[in-house]
Amino acid sequence: MSKLEFISADQAVCAVQSGDHIHLSSIASVPHILIEALCKRARDLRDVHFHHFHTEGPAPYGSKEFRRSFLDQGFFVGPNLRQSVQDGVADYLPAHLWESQHMYRSGVLPCDVAMVQVSEPRDGMVSLGTSVDCSIAALEVARERIAVVNPHVPFAYGDLIPIERFTALVKDNRPLFTKDYVKPSEVEMAIGKNCSELVPDGACLQMGIGSLPNAVCASLSGHRHLGLHTEMFADGALQLIRSGVIDGSRKMIDKGKVVASFLLGSQDVYDFIDNNPAVQMRDIAYTNDPWIIARNPQVVSINSATEIDLTGQVCADSIGQRIYSGTGGQLDFVRGAKMSMGGKAIIALASRTSHGESKIVPVLRPGAGVVTPRADVQWVVTEYGAVNLYGKSLQERARLLISIAHPQERENLERAARRRFGRL
């Protein structure tokens, strides 16, 4: 292979034109060197749109300073953009994560420029490392394909990219963003224990990141032969992999493999996936396709919520009208798990917020987004127990949900249920 030719970030972003739609590789692997270079050109640009999953680090493309030049329209809103979305400076593009790649591939959502970080090449191929997400689709359709080659990006197996596909190569050497392990609270440990009791040996798991998934993982230490097919994992799951609890031996597809699409964790997680054929980092079109998810038996999906009403409607992307995160892959995995032979879809949440407000409510707040419809909801878990809403009527659901609400909230919820349903 001929020697690679690199250009500066300033040179690379000269290919961006006003009106372009830019895809960014996301989470821990945002190409910040290109964003910084693009901000230098902001005076020359108008109506440049950004699309991505949630991003770690500075997000100047969503700031008031550049509002005439850039408009951020992420598929998921992280902490760095929540206030910008609330202020109307940035925007949110609702999408189930599986559909993000389909929007690009179908042309429903333009993608003129793809900006991604990649590993150093091996045999003419590079890895997208910790952030495959919908970048494969973006690279298939974009006019300009700019790669930041960074030695800190792990060479993760799965969906690899020929280095020749890129129209420009840039070097950078800054470390990826990390997220340290968060120790679960007593309430979260109780929720984790209740979830773990629904997980049989040999199950195939989907979980996210944070203290609640860490609590679930800690409660699964006595299980055997678990699998992992998920959109993301972090340090809690890594502990189960290293201890042999997760070995993938009962999976029907990708047997013995850990399958994910993006990661956010400690450096230990990134080092683990580097040059590790037991980990497959795949296109979101694969990881989040409910029909592919369902090919493994006993899939157990565990997702959270900001609130759930007495009929089972799950809000997970907003707090009332305020967008807090995004639809994510929750419904992708809820449906995949329910279609799986012996599968279970779990919504896990604390009974109350940190401010003492009930998360099980008579009705969702005005403007709240329904991420998982009541017809899709199956198991709901709090620190007070687990209930299965599948096949239950509205009145039955209300009774079950009240039984796992905080004890001090149950009387008010019962009164609200009687007013709504006439009886309980």
Side-chain angles (χ1 to χ4, degrees), residues 78-383:
N80 59 355
L81 282 163
R82 282 177 191 148
Q83 191 59 51
S84 296
V85 171
Q86 185 69 13
D87 294 341
V89 180
D91 204 357
Y92 165 56
L93 200 164
H96 301 295
L97 290 191
W98 179 87
E99 292 189 313
S100 60
Q101 55 80 29
H102 181 67
M103 290 179 181
Y104 284 156
R105 287 179 166 124
S106 67
V108 169
L109 183 66
C111 182
D112 303 293
V113 182
M115 295 181 173
V116 300
Q117 281 209 110
V118 300
S119 69
E120 295 179 316
R122 297 184 186 179
D123 299 321
M125 306 295 286
V126 294
S127 169
L128 287 159
T130 64
S131 185
V132 179
D133 51 71
C134 57
S135 293
I136 300 285
L139 290 167
E140 288 174 1
V141 302
R143 179 190 76 242
E144 304 291 339
R145 301 172 297 280
I146 306 172
V148 176
V149 179
N150 187 333
H152 292 285
V153 174
F155 190 93
Y157 289 95
D159 289 320
L160 303 177
I161 307 292
I163 192 72
E164 296 175 349
R165 180 173 296 177
F166 296 99
T167 56
L169 301 176
V170 175
K171 284 185 179 181
D172 196 14
N173 194 35
R174 69 188 77 187
L176 304 187
F177 280 81
T178 57
K179 184 78 72 174
D180 292 333
Y181 180 89
V182 181
K183 185 177 179 180
S185 66
E186 289 185 12
V187 168
E188 288 164 336
M189 286 302 299
I191 298 168
K193 182 178 183 296
N194 289 337
C195 288
S196 70
E197 292 173 353
L198 297 175
V199 179
D201 286 341
C204 184
L205 300 175
Q206 175 262 326
M207 291 180 292
I209 183 175
S211 53
L212 184 51
N214 289 343
V216 175
C217 290
S219 300
L220 290 171
S221 59
H223 281 60
R224 301 181 63 194
H225 305 304
L226 299 181
L228 192 62
H229 179 114
T230 185
E231 60 191 20
M232 74 175 303
F233 71 91
D235 292 77
L238 180 57
Q239 294 175 15
L240 294 179
I241 297 168
R242 285 182 164 158
S243 68
V245 171
I246 292 177
D247 62 14
S249 61
R250 303 282 179 85
K251 295 174 76 174
M252 293 299 294
I253 60 171
D254 305 308
K255 187 180 290 290
K257 307 285 188 183
V258 168
V259 175
S261 190
F262 53 90
L263 304 175
L264 178 61
S266 68
Q267 186 62 44
D268 199 21
V269 174
Y270 306 159
D271 292 342
F272 176 76
I273 73 168
D274 186 37
N275 200 32
N276 186 349
V279 179
Q280 300 286 303
M281 297 297 294
R282 301 293 302 272
D283 188 335
I284 204 79
Y286 183 83
T287 60
N288 283 47
D289 184 333
W291 296 99
I292 291 175
I293 294 165
R295 290 172 63 187
N296 280 311
Q298 294 186 309
V299 172
V300 178
S301 69
I302 304 173
N303 291 281
S304 194
T306 54
E307 62 180 3
I308 181 170
D309 75 7
L310 289 178
T311 73
Q313 294 188 112
V314 174
C315 175
D317 64 346
S318 67
I319 300 174
Q321 297 183 44
R322 183 187 176 200
I323 297 298
Y324 185 77
S325 54
T327 301
Q330 182 172 124
L331 192 57
D332 299 336
F333 278 93
V334 164
R335 289 179 171 169
K338 287 173 63 182
M339 291 190 295
S340 165
M341 184 178 296
K344 296 173 183 173
I346 299 172
I347 301 296
L349 70 166
S351 64
R352 278 178 163 175
T353 70
S354 59
H355 300 293
E357 299 172 340
S358 181
K359 288 191 174 184
I360 297 176
V361 294
V363 294
L364 299 181
R365 302 185 196 198
V370 177
V371 169
T372 298
R374 53 190 165 216
D376 285 288
V377 172
Q378 193 179 43
W379 286 92
V380 180
V381 176
T382 72
E383 69 269 33

